[in-house]
Amino acid sequence: GDSVTQMEGPVTLSEEAFLTINCTYTATGYPSLFWYVQYPGEGLQLLLKATKADDKGSNKGFEATYRKETTSFHLEKGSVQVSDSAVYFCALTPQTGANNLFFGTGTRLTVIP
Amino acid sequence: DGGITQSPKYLFRKEGQNVTLSCEQNLNHDAMYWYRQDPGQGLRLIYYSQIVNDFQKGDIAEGYSVSREKKESFPLTVTSAQKNPTAFYLCASSIVGHLNQPQHFGDGTRLSIL
């Protein structure tokens, strides 16, 4: 079945460090891929998305590229800030069927000054 | 501004009691969803609805019920049959018919047992 495997956390980085959070998926065909972010006590916000192979999603300095050959969608940011501290979820929507999201388990990022 | 409103933000349930979580959206989305989030885990789908008066079970529907009488509203009832209801509950909505459209989330309701 469809599933997402996400790098386990927590991840702690110093401000201005480089961030990578790994995400791989299992799905048939070409799912749509998403990264959501959850700040403490809040719901999820869409961070970026990619809907076809080789697409690059980007927002707020974060980037992720849809790699069909490695079934991956790793999240990167060149220089993290304290305000980036949150939980990050990788998710997919299958190519066919209902528009349901399959989530990874989330990665908690803490950025220290 | 359009969005999804969940209420209450915090809710407490007594043993044997049913409680209802509210979810309202003004985004004119056809589809609505309920997820449960447990500490250190991802979100798990409870129920979803793609059209008024119709809904489908998700992965963990046991002990929960929903209704979809209006397009804007998708309340979730946590029944006494749900033996471990303590969790963070998130409601979401999306456009139907476009598989690459993201879901939009509310701010959640945290349910605890008294």
Side-chain angles (χ1 to χ4, degrees):
Chain A
D2 301 305
S3 66
V4 174
T5 301
Q6 193 173 336
M7 181 174 110
E8 290 192 18
V11 174
T12 302
L13 295 173
S14 297
E15 207 165 21
E16 300 183 2
F18 184 85
L19 168 71
T20 299
I21 300 177
N22 290 338
C23 172
T24 57
Y25 68 88
T26 301
T28 55
Y30 291 84
S32 294
L33 302 175
F34 305 89
W35 277 100
Y36 282 86
V37 59
Q38 184 179 34
Y39 298 101
E42 298 183 8
L44 274 66
Q45 300 175 25
L46 178 67
L47 182 59
L48 53 85
K49 70 175 186 178
T51 58
K52 59 183 187 291
D54 300 323
D55 263 3
K56 177 185 281 187
S58 61
N59 186 27
K60 300 181 181 179
F62 290 90
E63 293 182 339
T65 301
Y66 189 144
R67 300 286 188 201
K68 178 66 173 173
E69 63 276 15
T70 55
T71 62
S72 65
F73 193 54
H74 305 320
L75 182 69
E76 296 182 336
K77 186 175 186 183
S79 177
V80 294
Q81 304 301 312
V82 172
S83 58
D84 293 327
S85 298
V87 180
Y88 293 82
F89 291 93
C90 185
L92 71 82
T93 296
Q95 184 176 6
T96 59
N99 191 30
N100 293 342
L101 276 170
F102 292 83
F103 285 91
T105 53
T107 301
R108 180 176 299 278
L109 170 67
T110 301
V111 180
I112 55 177
Chain B
D1 284 341
I4 299 177
T5 301
Q6 289 188 242
S7 62
K9 191 171 179 67
Y10 299 96
L11 186 59
F12 298 92
R13 194 191 89 169
K14 296 179 181 178
E15 293 289 341
Q17 184 182 40
N18 293 353
V19 291
T20 297
L21 285 61
S22 170
C23 178
E24 303 278 333
Q25 55 99 359
N26 60 4
L27 298 167
N28 200 34
H29 287 169
D30 287 304
M32 297 186 74
Y33 311 81
W34 274 106
Y35 294 91
R36 170 179 171 139
Q37 185 179 20
D38 293 284
Q41 298 188 31
L43 280 69
R44 292 182 289 169
L45 183 64
I46 304 172
Y47 269 98
Y48 66 98
S49 167
Q50 295 193 291
I51 195 170
V52 173
N53 292 323
D54 187 51
F55 46 83
Q56 308 296 327
K57 292 182 179 180
D59 299 322
I60 55 166
E62 186 174 350
Y64 300 96
S65 65
V66 293
S67 62
R68 187 85 187 277
E69 297 177 1
K70 298 186 301 181
K71 185 176 184 177
E72 302 80 17
S73 179
F74 191 41
L76 173 74
T77 296
V78 184
T79 75
S80 57
Q82 172 50 246
K83 297 307 179 188
N84 184 24
T86 298
F88 191 50
Y89 291 87
L90 287 161
C91 179
S93 70
S94 72
I95 296 171
V96 170
H98 297 82
L99 291 178
N100 59 0
Q101 292 301 313
Q103 293 182 14
H104 298 258
F105 285 80
D107 284 339
T109 293
R110 188 167 299 281
L111 176 62
S112 302
I113 295 298
L114 284 178

